[in-house]
Amino acid sequence: FMTIHGMEYSGAAATRKMLSHFGKSVAHGHLHSHAQIIYEKFGNGETELRWGANAGCLIDVEQFAFDYEKRNSAKPIIGTIIVFNKGTTPVWLPLT
């Protein structure tokens, strides 16, 4: 699997787009208002499983730098991804 910041992607479908783009399991952050883990099968006969995990973000909405978030209807989801079992098991950990 790979980890990326994810700035190049946006919206609720960003994780699925990353899976398609990179062709392997991927964990990413940056999308402030979304957190999810999705799975899809691929390969010959679609027997292999890969996952995409969006951690949400780790911003402090009380800081001036993030004042723009106060105007957004979708609020930040604070969390992180932990990956176990040699990269096969992602777990989302909410931090709020």
Side-chain angles (χ1 to χ4, degrees):
F1 79 97
M2 63 184 293
T3 59
I4 63 170
H5 185 245
M7 266 178 72
E8 305 83 8
Y9 302 87
S10 63
T15 302
R16 189 159 307 282
K17 289 176 189 174
M18 287 183 217
L19 272 174
S20 177
H21 180 114
F22 294 110
K24 61 177 146 182
S25 294
V26 59
H28 67 96
H30 183 76
L31 299 178
H32 294 189
S33 60
H34 295 75
Q36 64 180 337
I37 298 174
I38 60 172
Y39 296 86
E40 68 179 23
K41 286 197 171 186
F42 69 103
N44 294 336
E46 296 185 356
T47 58
E48 299 179 54
L49 190 66
R50 64 182 166 202
W51 51 264
N54 175 11
C57 64
L58 294 173
I59 68 171
D60 181 352
V61 295
E62 301 300 319
Q63 297 301 312
F64 176 75
F66 299 108
D67 272 357
Y68 67 92
E69 281 289 344
K70 293 175 182 172
R71 295 183 299 276
N72 291 339
S73 59
K75 299 304 176 194
I77 298 175
I78 311 300
T80 191
I81 299 292
I82 303 169
V83 182
F84 295 101
N85 300 326
K86 298 180 182 177
T88 62
T89 309
V91 175
W92 181 68
L93 179 64
L95 299 173
T96 56

